[in-house]
Amino acid sequence: MQTYYGKIRLKSGGHPINVTTEASNNSAAKKNIEAQYSGQIDSWAKQMSTSPN
């Protein structure tokens, strides 16, 4: 397992928020975040990666 970082924009507006999750690959990491924020994500400001920047 690795730590993955990303940024999402919520449908409610405002600034993008940082998200972090543990997963085996970036696809699984994205699915984890989508499940956690079910239906609230407007767009991805930064795709999931192992780099926090």
Side-chain angles (χ1 to χ4, degrees):
M1 294 290 232
Q2 284 189 298
T3 302
Y4 284 84
Y5 306 89
K7 280 189 181 182
I8 59 172
R9 285 190 172 89
L10 298 177
K11 290 181 180 176
S12 59
H15 295 284
I17 59 170
N18 293 315
V19 291
T20 306
T21 189
E22 293 282 325
S24 55
N25 59 54
N26 64 342
S27 179
K30 185 174 180 179
K31 288 179 183 176
N32 287 349
I33 298 301
E34 287 173 339
Q36 186 175 354
Y37 290 91
S38 61
Q40 298 178 52
I41 298 174
D42 182 45
S43 63
W44 288 85
K46 177 183 177 290
Q47 295 299 316
M48 299 303 289
S49 72
T50 55
S51 171
N53 296 326

XYZ file of all heavy atoms in Angstrom:
406
model
N 0.839 -1.181 0.000
C 0.000 0.000 0.000
C 0.885 1.246 0.000
O 1.904 1.297 0.651
C -0.892 0.030 1.227
C -1.914 -1.076 1.263
S -3.159 -0.834 0.033
C -4.602 -0.980 0.996
N 0.418 2.246 -0.748
C 1.113 3.531 -0.796
C 0.121 4.640 -0.476
O -1.084 4.464 -0.608
C 1.674 3.788 -2.192
C 2.916 2.999 -2.512
C 3.514 3.488 -3.814
O 2.880 3.404 -4.853
N 4.730 3.989 -3.754
N 0.653 5.782 -0.086
C -0.181 6.957 0.148
C -0.305 7.718 -1.161
O 0.693 8.001 -1.819
C 0.436 7.855 1.230
O 0.593 7.087 2.424
C -0.445 9.055 1.509
N -1.549 8.049 -1.532
C -1.822 8.817 -2.748
C -2.457 10.144 -2.367
O -3.242 10.216 -1.422
C -2.764 8.041 -3.673
C -2.064 6.919 -4.406
C -1.885 5.685 -3.804
C -1.562 7.109 -5.685
C -1.227 4.663 -4.460
C -0.905 6.096 -6.348
C -0.738 4.874 -5.736
O -0.086 3.869 -6.390
N -2.101 11.173 -3.119
C -2.567 12.528 -2.866
C -3.290 13.062 -4.102
O -2.953 12.709 -5.222
C -1.378 13.455 -2.561
C -0.497 12.974 -1.439
C 0.575 12.130 -1.685
C -0.750 13.375 -0.138
C 1.386 11.680 -0.649
C 0.062 12.937 0.905
C 1.119 12.089 0.645
O 1.914 11.649 1.676
N -4.255 13.933 -3.878
C -4.949 14.570 -4.988
C -5.673 15.808 -4.503
O -5.598 16.171 -3.321
N -6.374 16.471 -5.415
C -7.202 17.628 -5.074
C -8.505 17.498 -5.828
O -8.517 17.132 -7.002
C -6.537 18.946 -5.484
C -5.488 19.439 -4.557
C -5.054 20.837 -4.932
C -3.970 21.302 -3.987
N -3.560 22.670 -4.281
N -9.593 17.808 -5.134
C -10.911 17.757 -5.767
C -11.650 19.071 -5.567
O -11.382 19.806 -4.613
C -11.767 16.593 -5.214
C -11.964 16.716 -3.694
C -11.179 15.253 -5.595
C -12.938 15.716 -3.110
N -12.544 19.341 -6.492
C -13.474 20.460 -6.341
C -14.842 19.852 -6.046
O -15.280 18.933 -6.733
C -13.549 21.271 -7.629
C -12.350 22.142 -7.863
C -12.594 23.104 -9.029
N -11.520 24.060 -9.133
C -10.410 23.859 -9.843
N -10.262 22.746 -10.526
N -9.476 24.783 -9.878
N -15.497 20.380 -5.017
C -16.823 19.886 -4.659
C -17.900 20.670 -5.390
O -17.698 21.835 -5.751
C -17.033 19.987 -3.155
C -16.071 19.160 -2.296
C -16.342 19.401 -0.819
C -16.178 17.690 -2.621
N -19.029 20.036 -5.591
C -20.152 20.678 -6.271
C -20.665 21.894 -5.505
O -21.240 22.798 -6.091
C -21.290 19.673 -6.475
C -20.954 18.613 -7.498
C -22.097 17.649 -7.685
C -21.727 16.598 -8.720
N -22.778 15.589 -8.853
N -20.425 21.936 -4.190
C -20.879 23.063 -3.374
C -20.047 24.314 -3.601
O -20.396 25.391 -3.121
C -20.852 22.674 -1.894
O -19.546 22.299 -1.503
N -18.928 24.187 -4.338
C -18.099 25.345 -4.670
C -16.929 25.508 -3.724
O -16.635 24.647 -2.914
N -16.267 26.650 -3.852
C -15.115 26.937 -3.007
C -13.815 26.477 -3.625
O -13.757 26.055 -4.776
N -12.768 26.558 -2.835
C -11.432 26.171 -3.284
C -11.317 24.655 -3.367
O -12.007 23.939 -2.649
C -10.373 26.694 -2.308
C -10.292 28.181 -2.261
N -9.695 28.921 -3.255
C -10.736 29.077 -1.340
C -9.767 30.204 -2.945
N -10.406 30.329 -1.783
N -10.402 24.166 -4.217
C -10.146 22.716 -4.239
C -9.638 22.251 -2.876
O -8.954 23.000 -2.176
C -9.051 22.556 -5.295
C -9.111 23.789 -6.115
C -9.600 24.875 -5.208
N -9.989 21.037 -2.490
C -9.519 20.498 -1.217
C -8.546 19.354 -1.471
O -8.681 18.608 -2.439
C -10.687 20.040 -0.311
C -11.526 18.964 -0.998
C -11.542 21.209 0.105
C -12.533 18.317 -0.080
N -7.557 19.254 -0.599
C -6.581 18.169 -0.680
C -7.211 16.892 -0.147
O -7.922 16.921 0.869
C -5.338 18.496 0.148
C -4.571 19.653 -0.423
O -4.346 19.740 -1.618
N -4.164 20.570 0.435
N -6.944 15.775 -0.823
C -7.420 14.475 -0.367
C -6.242 13.506 -0.340
O -5.313 13.621 -1.138
C -8.556 13.930 -1.264
C -9.812 14.768 -1.099
C -8.155 13.893 -2.732
N -6.290 12.571 0.585
C -5.228 11.577 0.757
C -5.871 10.241 1.068
O -6.866 10.175 1.795
C -4.313 11.963 1.934
O -3.839 13.288 1.738
C -3.145 11.022 2.059
N -5.290 9.170 0.521
C -5.777 7.829 0.821
C -4.663 6.812 0.656
O -3.667 7.081 -0.013
C -6.981 7.460 -0.085
O -7.569 6.249 0.370
C -6.574 7.325 -1.534
N -4.827 5.668 1.270
C -3.910 4.544 1.106
C -4.519 3.600 0.077
O -5.701 3.257 0.171
C -3.744 3.791 2.433
C -3.041 4.572 3.509
C -1.542 4.611 3.317
O -0.984 3.607 2.844
O -0.938 5.644 3.638
N -3.709 3.187 -0.913
C -4.206 2.272 -1.943
C -3.035 1.565 -2.607
O -1.879 1.946 -2.449
C -5.022 3.042 -2.980
N -3.366 0.541 -3.392
C -2.333 -0.231 -4.081
C -1.929 0.404 -5.411
O -0.833 0.172 -5.904
C -2.808 -1.658 -4.306
O -4.041 -1.646 -4.994
N -2.815 1.234 -6.006
C -2.490 1.940 -7.253
C -3.355 3.192 -7.361
O -4.276 3.380 -6.572
C -2.657 1.029 -8.483
C -4.066 0.498 -8.618
O -5.032 1.247 -8.628
N -4.189 -0.821 -8.716
N -3.062 4.045 -8.362
C -3.782 5.328 -8.438
C -5.250 5.157 -8.807
O -6.092 5.949 -8.395
C -3.069 6.320 -9.358
C -3.018 5.875 -10.797
O -3.214 4.707 -11.101
N -2.735 6.804 -11.678
N -5.586 4.123 -9.548
C -6.984 3.873 -9.884
C -7.788 3.512 -8.630
O -8.900 4.012 -8.420
C -7.079 2.747 -10.919
O -8.418 2.474 -11.228
N -7.219 2.670 -7.797
C -7.882 2.303 -6.540
C -7.982 3.513 -5.613
O -8.989 3.690 -4.914
C -7.119 1.178 -5.858
N -6.961 4.359 -5.623
C -6.978 5.568 -4.796
C -8.125 6.490 -5.216
O -8.853 7.018 -4.381
C -5.643 6.298 -4.903
N -8.294 6.660 -6.524
C -9.368 7.512 -7.034
C -10.740 6.943 -6.646
O -11.629 7.673 -6.225
C -9.250 7.641 -8.551
C -10.239 8.608 -9.141
C -10.000 8.818 -10.627
C -11.013 9.789 -11.192
N -10.808 10.030 -12.618
N -10.883 5.641 -6.741
C -12.147 5.003 -6.360
C -12.436 5.176 -4.878
O -13.587 5.384 -4.480
C -12.126 3.519 -6.735
C -12.238 3.288 -8.221
C -12.186 1.819 -8.562
C -12.221 1.632 -10.075
N -12.085 0.220 -10.455
N -11.389 5.108 -4.041
C -11.561 5.329 -2.599
C -12.115 6.725 -2.325
O -13.048 6.892 -1.535
C -10.226 5.183 -1.858
C -9.768 3.752 -1.745
O -10.504 2.819 -2.036
N -8.528 3.578 -1.322
N -11.534 7.736 -2.967
C -11.976 9.118 -2.763
C -13.387 9.312 -3.311
O -14.227 9.952 -2.672
C -10.988 10.122 -3.399
C -9.608 10.011 -2.732
C -11.517 11.547 -3.339
C -9.587 10.279 -1.238
N -13.678 8.754 -4.487
C -15.020 8.877 -5.054
C -16.062 8.227 -4.148
O -17.169 8.737 -4.012
C -15.058 8.266 -6.457
C -14.333 9.126 -7.475
C -14.204 8.478 -8.841
O -14.304 7.235 -8.945
O -13.973 9.225 -9.810
N -15.714 7.132 -3.499
C -16.635 6.480 -2.566
C -16.827 7.320 -1.312
O -17.940 7.444 -0.795
C -16.115 5.091 -2.203
N -15.751 7.929 -0.830
C -15.823 8.744 0.377
C -16.660 10.008 0.162
O -17.391 10.435 1.043
C -14.416 9.116 0.834
C -14.369 9.834 2.157
C -12.953 10.085 2.624
O -11.987 9.629 2.026
N -12.824 10.833 3.701
N -16.538 10.612 -1.018
C -17.261 11.848 -1.326
C -18.378 11.568 -2.327
O -18.597 12.354 -3.245
C -16.294 12.886 -1.907
C -15.318 13.430 -0.888
C -14.079 12.829 -0.697
C -15.633 14.539 -0.113
C -13.171 13.311 0.230
C -14.738 15.031 0.821
C -13.515 14.419 0.988
O -12.624 14.903 1.911
N -19.095 10.497 -2.158
C -20.082 10.025 -3.130
C -21.027 11.127 -3.609
O -21.746 11.726 -2.831
C -20.893 8.871 -2.541
O -21.583 9.296 -1.387
N -20.952 11.394 -4.911
C -21.843 12.365 -5.534
C -21.519 13.819 -5.276
O -22.211 14.699 -5.761
N -20.479 14.113 -4.516
C -20.157 15.494 -4.166
C -19.036 16.090 -5.011
O -18.815 17.289 -4.989
C -19.740 15.578 -2.695
C -20.814 15.157 -1.715
C -20.296 15.231 -0.301
O -19.770 16.253 0.122
N -20.420 14.143 0.437
N -18.308 15.255 -5.754
C -17.159 15.726 -6.519
C -17.611 16.351 -7.834
O -18.319 15.724 -8.612
C -16.163 14.577 -6.799
C -15.626 14.027 -5.478
C -15.010 15.072 -7.681
C -14.756 12.796 -5.633
N -17.182 17.598 -8.039
C -17.469 18.287 -9.296
C -16.394 17.962 -10.323
O -16.689 17.637 -11.457
C -17.550 19.805 -9.062
C -17.901 20.565 -10.319
O -18.817 20.127 -11.029
O -17.248 21.592 -10.585
N -15.114 18.050 -9.906
C -14.008 17.739 -10.809
C -12.750 17.468 -10.002
O -12.684 17.750 -8.806
C -13.763 18.897 -11.779
O -13.364 20.055 -11.069
N -11.762 16.916 -10.688
C -10.456 16.665 -10.077
C -9.528 17.820 -10.435
O -9.266 18.065 -11.606
C -9.873 15.343 -10.582
C -10.600 14.167 -10.013
C -11.743 13.612 -10.498
C -10.258 13.446 -8.841
N -12.136 12.578 -9.694
C -11.241 12.451 -8.676
C -9.223 13.534 -7.926
C -11.202 11.552 -7.605
C -9.191 12.633 -6.868
C -10.169 11.663 -6.719
N -9.033 18.539 -9.431
C -8.098 19.633 -9.663
C -6.682 19.076 -9.826
O -5.846 19.674 -10.480
C -8.140 20.622 -8.503
N -6.411 17.922 -9.205
C -5.125 17.226 -9.347
C -5.417 15.741 -9.254
O -6.042 15.283 -8.303
C -4.161 17.637 -8.237
C -2.821 16.903 -8.274
C -1.949 17.308 -7.090
C -0.643 16.544 -7.040
N -0.798 15.126 -6.690
N -4.987 14.992 -10.259
C -5.206 13.551 -10.254
C -4.410 12.896 -9.132
O -3.398 13.421 -8.664
C -4.800 12.945 -11.604
C -5.664 13.431 -12.762
C -7.135 13.063 -12.605
O -7.468 11.952 -12.238
N -8.004 14.014 -12.875
N -4.845 11.729 -8.704
C -4.186 11.001 -7.619
C -2.775 10.589 -8.040
O -2.570 10.066 -9.140
C -4.993 9.753 -7.236
C -6.390 10.046 -6.731
S -6.470 11.142 -5.303
C -5.822 10.104 -4.020
N -1.796 10.849 -7.166
C -0.413 10.441 -7.412
C 0.275 10.243 -6.066
O -0.247 10.643 -5.029
C 0.332 11.474 -8.252
O 0.601 12.621 -7.482
N 1.451 9.650 -6.098
C 2.198 9.416 -4.867
C 2.957 10.653 -4.410
O 3.495 10.689 -3.322
C 3.193 8.244 -5.036
O 4.025 8.512 -6.153
C 2.454 6.937 -5.239
N 2.979 11.687 -5.246
C 3.651 12.940 -4.903
C 2.633 13.928 -4.313
O 1.608 14.182 -4.936
C 4.287 13.555 -6.150
O 4.747 14.850 -5.862
N 2.918 14.489 -3.145
C 1.975 15.436 -2.549
C 1.911 16.786 -3.258
O 1.054 17.602 -2.973
C 2.480 15.596 -1.122
C 3.912 15.222 -1.169
C 4.052 14.228 -2.281
N 2.821 17.048 -4.193
C 2.845 18.360 -4.882
C 2.085 18.334 -6.165
O 2.112 17.657 -7.023
C 4.284 18.806 -5.128
C 4.998 19.026 -3.812
O 4.395 19.459 -2.852
N 6.256 18.699 -3.754
